[in-house]
Amino acid sequence: MSRKLVRPREGRMLAGVCAGLARRFNTSATLVRLLFLLSLLLPGTQVIIYLVLWILMPNEDRYATTSH
């Protein structure tokens, strides 16, 4: 798991949070999206966590330009 946690430019549906998490943990973006949607059926702060990750996770482009 050496990949950084960033929101990719390719494969986004909304903000790229699920796609970024899927890349980081080497799993399918569809699976992460499905798990997130299913989690919305349970009480909790899933939407707030998603929004916080959207704000905190850098875009892949921005990370690529600052890491060199």
Side-chain angles (χ1 to χ4, degrees):
M1 289 194 297
S2 63
R3 292 182 176 214
K4 298 290 182 184
L5 186 59
V6 295
R7 292 182 295 126
R9 298 297 290 162
E10 302 286 326
R12 286 183 173 189
M13 292 292 274
L14 181 60
V17 173
C18 291
L21 289 171
R23 275 191 184 182
R24 172 66 172 92
F25 295 107
N26 198 26
T27 188
S28 165
T30 304
L31 177 64
V32 175
R33 289 178 186 125
L34 181 63
L35 289 173
F36 175 72
L37 288 175
L38 289 174
S39 76
L40 292 175
L41 299 174
L42 302 171
T45 59
Q46 298 87 334
V47 174
I48 293 171
I49 292 170
Y50 186 91
L51 293 173
V52 168
L53 286 173
W54 187 352
I55 293 167
L56 294 179
M57 286 173 64
N59 277 327
E60 188 174 48
D61 294 341
R62 187 174 7 159
Y63 181 80
T65 59
T66 59
S67 67
H68 291 280

